[in-house]
């Protein structure tokens, strides 16, 4: 077994690299990959750069080139659900692409022929996430995450995404990573800590809380790695 842990931005990966301590850096396909052992488990780490395209490339590389057999994503997100405040954790039950739109042909938002609006995450990994939450005595919300190539800083857009996809949080990589893992039959988990409320103050909130929220998510993900049977 080899567990891939990915983020989108350096700030999301740095706390994980720090915890892991020593690693081998391999450059591949315009990116750096970090191979290591953590508590007896083979792991491979990378941040993809922001958005659906880069995250697709990195998730595919982690699996096809580095041989990852499970994939965990750790990062930050904008909240849609009013229940979610800065720092809170959410694990995706399923994910959708909110900016995928061929509705002109009568299809629903987020759908293309031979695809599906929602990609389901792995139930066993979600269960492990709930166990970690119980151990750490930290609340963990399960909910739908919507992904798109936009930093949403607009109440109207955020509400539309919430209503259209029944989504609780939004970000820019989860659904694309999910599509890759689903197609390659690799169990995956998308964990996010809230950095902002996707409203007009989102960019300020993001800048202020990126580091602390990314750290919360990273700490949680490393506890999950310890609990995954190997
Ligand atoms: N500050 C960065 C850009 C961040 S883009 C820069 O200037 O380089 C936002 C990143 O955080 C994405 O990786 C996305 O997954 C997540 N995210 C957090 N809040 C978001 C929001 N409101 N809308 C979309 N993505 C968000």
């Amino acid at each position: 077994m080899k567990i891939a842990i990915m983020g989108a931005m350096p700030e999301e990966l740095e706390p994980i690299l720090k915890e892991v301590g020593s690693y081998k850096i391999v450059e591949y396909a315009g990116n750096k990959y970090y191979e290591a052992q953590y508590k007896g488990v083979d792991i491979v780490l990378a941040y993809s750069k922001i958005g659906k395209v880069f995250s697709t490339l990195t998730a595919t590389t982690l699996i096809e080139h580095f041989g990852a057999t499970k994939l965990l994503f750790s990062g930050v997100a904008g909240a849609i659900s009013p229940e979610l405040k800065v720092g809170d954790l959410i694990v995706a039950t399923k994910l959708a692409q909110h900016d995928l739109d061929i509705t002109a042909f009568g299809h629903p938002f987020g759908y293309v022929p031979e695809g599906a609006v929602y990609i389901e995450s792995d139930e066993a990994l979600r269960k492990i996430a709930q166990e970690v939450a119980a151990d750490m005595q930290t609340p963990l919300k399960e909910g739908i995450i919507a992904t798109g190539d936009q930093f949403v800083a607009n109440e109207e857009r955020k509400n539309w995404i919430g209503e259209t996809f029944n989504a609780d949080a939004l970000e820019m990589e989860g659904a694309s990573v999910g599509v890759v893992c689903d197609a390659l039959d690799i169990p995956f988990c998308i964990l996010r800590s809230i950095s902002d409320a996707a409203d007009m103050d989102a960019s300020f909130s993001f800048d202020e809380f990126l580091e602390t929220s990314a750290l919360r998510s990273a700490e949680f993900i490393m506890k999950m790695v310890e609990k995954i049977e190997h």
Side-chain angles (χ1 to χ4, degrees):
M1 175 166 77
K2 192 186 270 189
I3 302 177
I5 309 172
M6 72 176 277
M9 298 173 281
E11 292 86 348
E12 290 168 332
L13 199 69
E14 267 153 23
I16 296 170
L17 289 174
K18 211 167 151 197
E19 169 69 19
V20 169
S22 63
Y23 38 78
K24 184 175 118 194
I25 301 177
V26 180
E27 297 212 18
Y28 187 81
N31 216 349
K32 281 198 179 84
Y33 290 82
Y34 304 82
E35 292 187 296
Q37 275 240 325
Y38 184 73
K39 313 225 163 151
V41 193
D42 286 331
I43 57 174
V44 53
L45 319 167
Y47 73 88
S48 57
K49 301 188 275 286
I50 294 163
K52 292 196 295 182
V53 175
F54 283 128
S55 58
T56 299
L57 173 62
T58 297
T60 307
T61 302
L62 285 164
I63 297 164
E64 290 287 278
H65 187 77
F66 290 94
T69 53
K70 287 187 199 298
L71 190 149
L72 310 176
F73 190 105
S74 173
V76 299
I80 299 175
S81 163
E83 267 177 49
L84 287 169
K85 307 290 181 213
V86 166
D88 288 356
L89 292 163
I90 175 167
V91 63
T93 50
K94 52 185 187 175
L95 302 104
Q97 296 180 62
H98 68 71
D99 58 350
L100 186 54
D101 179 359
I102 55 163
T103 54
F105 298 92
H107 298 297
F109 284 102
Y111 178 83
V112 292
E114 298 181 49
V117 174
Y118 294 104
I119 301 289
E120 308 261 341
S121 69
D122 184 62
E123 217 182 306
L125 287 175
R126 239 158 50 217
K127 192 161 163 268
I128 289 173
Q130 290 299 349
E131 286 169 19
V132 169
D135 289 352
M136 292 177 80
Q137 297 189 316
T138 184
L140 172 67
K141 186 175 174 62
E142 288 204 346
I144 297 173
I145 293 183
T147 301
D149 282 327
Q150 303 170 339
F151 182 79
V152 178
N154 173 319
E155 200 93 31
E156 214 177 302
R157 177 74 189 161
K158 155 183 151 164
N159 291 337
W160 179 85
I161 293 169
E163 283 154 22
T164 308
F165 297 96
N166 202 15
D168 296 295
L170 56 84
E171 34 83 311
M172 302 178 67
E173 300 85 15
S176 39
V177 170
V179 168
V180 170
C181 293
D182 184 64
L184 296 172
D185 211 13
I186 295 295
F188 74 97
C189 178
I190 310 287
L191 179 81
R192 297 274 183 172
S193 173
I194 299 303
S195 56
D196 59 84
D199 54 11
M200 58 187 265
D201 298 322
S203 61
F204 306 104
S205 177
F206 175 92
D207 283 341
E208 190 174 347
F209 297 111
L210 168 60
E211 257 177 62
T212 46
S213 294
L215 176 63
R216 285 212 70 193
S217 178
E219 285 173 349
F220 193 98
I221 271 293
M222 296 319 277
K223 296 268 184 247
M224 283 186 68
V225 173
E226 282 177 44
K227 266 200 188 278
I228 293 171
E229 297 252 343
H230 53 276

